[in-house]
């Protein structure tokens, strides 16, 4: 016997060929769902012939189940220019711009430089000359209640960057505010 259904209608036992009816209830192979059996005896008798195809199909079903359960990445995980997902870890494959607080992938940054653009590849604002002007750009975005800018400023306070002193309580305040405004990154 083959391990595919014997009849096209799917109402035939794979081992003995009995037709399914009101009196004979056929049950699917629980692992692969490819074939049906009229009883446990037929299933055991057919197991040797069916085992290889059953395992293969069961693995395919498991893969389908696993791949369909995937979580979608947040909107900020995609480059706003090419719209491709930024590879993980994102910090190694992208840069965040203080002017617009957009995370742009390294490919788009490189393409912009090759075209002669030296500013932000997203909003085209010239790059800040020093840390003080970069901090001013971030604070300007913070004053407009930009959740990503508030999260970024929290990170700068936490690590003591951009000329700021390391201030963990202030960083936590900023992260809390950013999370309340909708920043997914502030929650991690």
């Amino acid at each position: 016997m083959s391990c595919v259904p014997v009849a096209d209608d799917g109402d035939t036992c794979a081992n003995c060929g009995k037709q399914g009816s009101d009196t004979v209830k056929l049950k699917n192979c629980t692992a692969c769902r490819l074939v049906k059996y009229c009883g446990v005896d037929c299933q055991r008798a057919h197991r040797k012939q069916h085992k290889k195809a059953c395992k293969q199909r069961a693995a395919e079903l498991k893969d389908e189940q696993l791949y369909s359960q995937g979580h979608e990445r947040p909107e900020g995980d995609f480059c706003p220019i090419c719209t491709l997902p930024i590879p993980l870890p994102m910090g190694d494959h992208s840069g965040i711009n203080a002017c617009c607080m957009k995370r742009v992938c390294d490919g788009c940054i490189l393409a912009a430089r090759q075209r002669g653009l030296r500013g932000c590849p997203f909003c085209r604002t010239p790059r800040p000359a020093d840390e003080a002007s970069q901090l001013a750009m971030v604070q300007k975005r913070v004053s407009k209640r930009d959740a990503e800018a508030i999260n970024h400023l929290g990170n700068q306070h936490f690590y003591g960057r951009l000329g700021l002193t390391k201030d963990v309580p202030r960083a936590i305040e900023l992260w809390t505010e950013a999370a309340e405004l909708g920043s997914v990154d502030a929650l991690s």
Side-chain angles (χ1 to χ4, degrees):
M1 296 274 154
S2 71
C3 18
V4 293
V6 176
D8 290 333
D9 62 5
D11 283 337
T12 306
C13 176
N15 186 51
C16 66
K18 273 188 191 173
Q19 292 287 327
S21 65
D22 292 337
T23 57
V24 179
K25 296 287 183 188
L26 298 178
K27 295 182 181 177
N28 284 332
C29 172
T30 55
C32 69
R33 298 185 181 92
L34 280 176
V35 295
K36 293 185 178 189
Y37 297 104
C38 60
V40 177
D41 294 335
C42 278
Q43 187 174 7
R44 284 186 187 138
H46 191 247
R47 178 73 181 146
K48 200 171 200 177
Q49 298 165 346
H50 176 61
K51 188 176 182 178
K52 187 176 180 182
C54 183
K55 281 188 176 184
Q56 182 180 355
R57 177 63 181 153
E60 290 172 3
L61 288 172
K62 184 171 176 119
D63 286 347
E64 284 178 25
Q65 181 186 14
L66 289 174
Y67 290 129
S68 67
Q69 290 177 352
H71 299 287
E72 290 190 22
R73 293 178 71 180
E75 186 177 317
D77 288 0
F78 292 86
C79 176
I81 297 173
C82 65
T83 68
L84 293 174
I86 298 171
L88 299 172
M90 289 182 15
D92 294 346
H93 302 284
S94 64
I96 191 159
N97 299 298
C99 48
C100 58
M101 298 311 299
K102 298 290 184 186
R103 182 173 291 280
V104 179
C105 71
D106 286 344
C108 290
I109 292 170
L110 177 64
R113 286 186 184 147
Q114 287 176 339
R115 286 183 301 211
L117 180 64
R118 297 291 174 229
C120 172
F122 184 75
C123 68
R124 315 244 167 151
T125 303
R127 294 228 179 261
D130 57 1
E131 286 185 344
S133 56
Q134 186 176 354
L135 181 60
M137 285 182 164
V138 172
Q139 288 174 331
K140 182 177 178 182
R141 301 288 308 171
V142 168
S143 68
K144 295 179 181 178
R145 300 192 43 83
D146 181 345
E148 296 307 320
I150 295 169
N151 178 52
H152 185 70
L153 186 60
N155 289 336
Q156 303 316 307
H157 275 287
F158 184 78
Y159 293 109
R161 296 182 189 145
L162 294 183
L164 298 169
T165 58
K166 187 172 181 174
D167 187 358
V168 176
R170 177 69 178 137
I172 293 171
E173 287 175 22
L174 289 166
W175 289 332
T176 304
E177 183 181 351
E180 289 170 356
L181 291 172
S183 173
V184 177
D185 294 330
L187 297 171
S188 58

